[in-house]
Amino acid sequence: MSEPVPTTCMRCAVGCGHMQHGADRGYGLSGISGDPTHPVSQGLACGRGLRETSDPDGEWLTRPLIRKDGELVPTSWDTALEIATNALAEARERDPDRVAVLGSGQQTNEAAYLLGKLARGAIGTRNYDANTTLCMASAVTAYYDAFGSDAPPPTYDDIPEADVHLVWGANPAVAHPVLFRWLKNTDSELIVVDPVESETADHADTHVALEPGGDLALARAVLAHLVGTNRIDRGFVDEHTEGFEALLEGLPDADEAAAAAGVSLEQVEALAAAFEERTLVYWGMGINQSTQGTASAGALIDLCLASGNMGEGAGPFSLTGQANSMGTRVCSSKGTWPGHREFEDPKHREAVAETWDVPVDRLPDDPGPGPVGIGQAMAAGEADVCYTVATNPVAGLPDAARAREAFEDTFLIAQDAFETETTAVADVVLPAATWGESEGTTTNMERTVSRVRAATDLPGGVRQDLDIIAAIGRELAPEAFDRPPLSPRAVYDELRGLTHGTPADLSGIGYDRLETELAVRWPAPDDESAGGYRYRTDDGWAFETPSGKARFSSGQHAALPEPVDEEYPLTLTTARKADEYNTGVRTRSGPDEPPIARLHPETMAEANAHVRDGLLLVRSRRGAVTARTEIDERIPPGVVWLPIHHPAVNELTLPETDPRSDEPNYKQCAVALLAPSDPVGQPAAASSD
């Protein structure tokens, strides 16, 4: 067996260390295990991260493809790149915003940075974003609102120090198994807030099952109850925050807010009591993926501020899904310039343009409309070319049937390691390296940077993301891009130099340091420093706001964007399965397998007359999906649970987005259940009444 090569798992954002062995013959990995020397995970690793790294189920892309006479056919790299580059250049000539670029939280820091440099610097388009906006943008916006900067204040070091772990709208037992093991290995109380009795709730001391979409109402009920029972940390609030009195003016009555959330006042008290202890508040997609995602995340931060739950073992801690979502936020120039430099700030724009050697007036004036808005611009004929890297928007965007039409009608360049719904409709397909084949760095959810290393050579028809992006960039802006192949270290050094002196300073985290220390948390302005709990100073607290104080939010509960009615009487919610991945590209057993719809026995009884061979048709206003049924008492009555990973599920979901973050409302929409043989247009037959 070959010598082990240390790397970082790219399955989720915990950032576990792996030891991987390259195959003795040919390409691929022959074995993989947890790395006991890695400071983040210390040898722990989940089975799915190991499996999906060493033996993914996806169909590999092995050579470039171009569309001829309606079919994808093999071609040379020179031909594929020439066609792709010409299409991008011609669209840029007409208007830079007629080019759309979509990246991913699966890219390394280096690839995310270089793609942003291409989109913003070489092309100059505002229509650039990444799929990380689909999962984390609401948390990001809430952090900026409260603290003037992105990323959670706590770190993993705070987990054993907490008295209470409050998990709200997240299921780390499924999504982050190693992190959940850390939670379980403490003596702390575990409270779970989730409409579904999730795998995490199975281990909870208290489970609060609120109504779907009732998160903001419940958070406000808890705050109102803390105020009404005189449990506010007035010392912390008065000295270190602003906006509390304005929040109080609009705060609802605790009983009314609890009723809106579908919980009892006793359950509100159980949550309020947690904030008298050192409490870490974790949240995930159940909070973020909502038209009220920013307001709901802000309300959880408000609870921490109002109760003084900041500091060791306490505070707001959003759980990031994709492995390098945090790195994308720092590196990719999608919402801020590298290092969290403000997008509109003239000095930051000049620094970026100088580093990239491009005219400052080529940089777009604003960050753009988000992935859903980009898809809508394509549907409206406002973009001629779209370039996707390591993402599957044809299946991953909400209202996916309309999204597919938009991508089919746009000249599409898709860069990926595997066949996807997006590569299937592309005009040019560029095969790229994946885990075990790539070199670079990644950043986990607690801001820790670590190396990603290759343990196997690439097949002859496949190239590194960096080299593909650079080849395109070299043609579009030769002054800004070196000729490939590129050195990941050189790209990273350019990136970390651009972050020097910023809130997300990587300048003290170089490859040599990572070779020795393996993982280092930002901000690190020099090679001796490393980040800890954010905003703490020797004198107390200093937040990155103009006043230096943390800011309370003011959001209030509103109705769901698509409530149930007589025709669509059930609520669809989507969530993760333990052994699936994103849109299922690496893990699905086959595209023809229907998704599993989990239904409460009462809901199933009402729909039973429409079941055919174990199948039901789930219909929304946007589409219909045939699903295999599974009775599950952990799903509330009146709710249909479907996995986010199946490529058909987003044909049902709602394209409405949070007005602040541009994150879609994936978690709730109205549906009906029909027989698979029924005409889709007929009135609904199954209800929750």
Side-chain angles (χ1 to χ4, degrees), residues 241-484:
T241 74
E242 57 190 10
F244 187 62
E245 298 305 321
L247 170 57
L248 291 182
E249 291 176 6
L251 200 62
D253 176 79
D255 294 270
E256 293 178 1
V263 304
S264 67
L265 198 59
E266 288 75 19
Q267 291 172 302
V268 171
E269 166 57 30
L271 293 171
F275 287 95
E276 293 186 277
E277 310 293 335
R278 288 188 303 179
T279 295
L280 276 171
V281 182
Y282 312 85
W283 76 89
M285 303 309 103
I287 291 290
N288 294 337
Q289 291 178 334
S290 164
T291 53
Q292 297 190 91
T294 298
S296 298
L300 297 184
I301 296 172
D302 289 343
L303 289 171
C304 295
L305 296 176
S307 61
N309 258 290
M310 296 289 292
E312 185 180 40
F317 200 158
S318 56
L319 299 180
T320 306
Q322 291 190 87
N324 201 30
S325 179
M326 181 64 72
T328 303
R329 286 144 66 176
V330 173
C331 306
S332 70
S333 302
K334 72 181 191 72
T336 58
W337 300 113
H340 295 163
R341 293 173 179 267
E342 292 183 20
F343 205 87
E344 292 83 6
D345 188 296
K347 292 182 179 179
H348 290 317
R349 296 169 65 83
E350 290 171 5
V352 170
E354 181 180 356
T355 299
W356 289 352
D357 196 16
V358 300
V360 70
D361 59 3
R362 184 184 294 170
L363 305 180
D365 294 330
D366 65 80
V372 174
I374 290 172
Q376 292 169 344
M378 292 165 59
E382 297 170 4
D384 299 328
V385 180
C386 180
Y387 174 31
T388 68
V389 179
T391 187
N392 187 17
V394 169
L397 285 176
D399 194 8
R402 251 55 61 194
R404 180 186 179 93
E405 292 173 3
F407 282 89
E408 287 177 333
D409 292 341
T410 304
F411 189 90
L412 179 59
I413 305 157
Q415 180 172 317
D416 213 311
F418 297 95
E419 294 180 6
T420 70
E421 286 70 27
T422 302
T423 65
V425 300
D427 297 280
V428 179
V429 177
L430 305 175
T434 187
W435 316 344
E437 302 171 339
S438 300
E439 291 280 343
T441 58
T442 187
T443 311
N444 74 2
M445 71 173 77
E446 57 133 23
R447 300 175 275 120
T448 295
V449 179
S450 57
R451 282 296 312 276
V452 174
R453 291 180 174 88
T456 179
D457 293 332
L458 283 176
V462 178
R463 294 186 181 181
Q464 297 286 346
D465 274 334
L466 280 182
D467 294 336
I468 303 171
I469 297 166
I472 294 172
R474 180 77 179 175
E475 295 300 317
L476 296 177
E479 72 282 2
F481 288 83
D482 292 333
R483 193 179 305 279

Side-chain angles (χ1 to χ4, degrees), residues 7 18-21 29-34 49-51 53-54:
T7 192
H18 281 178
M19 297 296 287
Q20 52 190 353
H21 295 267
L29 302 178
S30 64
I32 190 165
S33 60
L50 298 175
R51 283 193 306 275
T53 301
S54 62

Side-chain angles (χ1 to χ4, degrees), residues 5-298:
V5 178
T7 192
T8 307
C9 180
M10 295 295 284
R11 177 54 174 80
C12 79
V14 173
C16 297
H18 281 178
M19 297 296 287
Q20 52 190 353
H21 295 267
D24 291 329
R25 294 183 179 181
Y27 306 101
L29 302 178
S30 64
I32 190 165
S33 60
D35 181 358
T37 68
H38 198 278
V40 170
S41 53
Q42 298 177 339
L44 293 179
C46 71
R48 68 182 196 184
L50 298 175
R51 283 193 306 275
E52 292 167 27
T53 301
S54 62
D55 190 25
D57 292 331
E59 294 295 326
W60 297 81
L61 293 167
T62 58
R63 60 186 304 182
L65 306 171
I66 57 173
R67 191 166 297 278
K68 282 189 175 181
D69 300 323
E71 300 292 330
L72 286 172
V73 297
T75 191
S76 68
W77 268 104
D78 286 346
T79 299
L81 288 171
E82 181 181 12
I83 293 172
T85 302
N86 287 344
L88 291 166
E90 290 168 7
R92 180 186 65 173
E93 183 67 23
R94 290 188 289 273
D95 183 341
D97 292 338
R98 299 202 71 83
V99 177
V101 180
L102 293 170
S104 169
Q106 286 302 306
Q107 299 172 272
T108 61
N109 289 324
E110 293 79 0
Y113 170 72
L114 206 67
L115 186 65
K117 183 177 179 178
L118 174 74
R120 302 300 201 193
I123 297 171
T125 183
R126 67 187 293 270
N127 286 318
Y128 163 59
D129 215 298
N131 59 16
T132 54
T133 296
L134 303 176
C135 53
M136 293 307 300
S138 295
V140 171
T141 308
Y143 283 136
Y144 274 110
D145 287 348
F147 306 127
S149 183
D150 181 23
T155 73
Y156 294 159
D157 295 337
D158 294 290
I159 291 174
E161 306 303 323
D163 298 317
V164 178
H165 299 299
L166 173 54
V167 179
W168 196 314
N171 189 11
V174 161
H176 304 99
V178 169
L179 181 143
F180 187 62
R181 184 183 298 186
W182 295 334
L183 268 63
K184 287 199 304 176
N185 285 346
T186 69
D187 295 326
S188 309
E189 182 182 4
L190 176 62
I191 302 175
V192 173
V193 179
D194 197 313
V196 172
E197 189 177 336
S198 65
E199 291 84 348
T200 302
D202 289 343
H203 297 271
D205 298 288
T206 302
H207 173 217
V208 178
L210 75 170
E211 289 288 329
D215 303 279
L216 183 52
L218 179 54
R220 290 309 191 212
V222 175
L223 181 57
H225 191 56
L226 287 172
V227 172
T229 53
N230 197 29
R231 286 183 278 182
I232 300 300
D233 187 336
R234 274 290 175 181
F236 184 87
V237 168
D238 292 344
E239 187 173 354
H240 300 299
T241 74
E242 57 190 10
F244 187 62
E245 298 305 321
L247 170 57
L248 291 182
E249 291 176 6
L251 200 62
D253 176 79
D255 294 270
E256 293 178 1
V263 304
S264 67
L265 198 59
E266 288 75 19
Q267 291 172 302
V268 171
E269 166 57 30
L271 293 171
F275 287 95
E276 293 186 277
E277 310 293 335
R278 288 188 303 179
T279 295
L280 276 171
V281 182
Y282 312 85
W283 76 89
M285 303 309 103
I287 291 290
N288 294 337
Q289 291 178 334
S290 164
T291 53
Q292 297 190 91
T294 298
S296 298

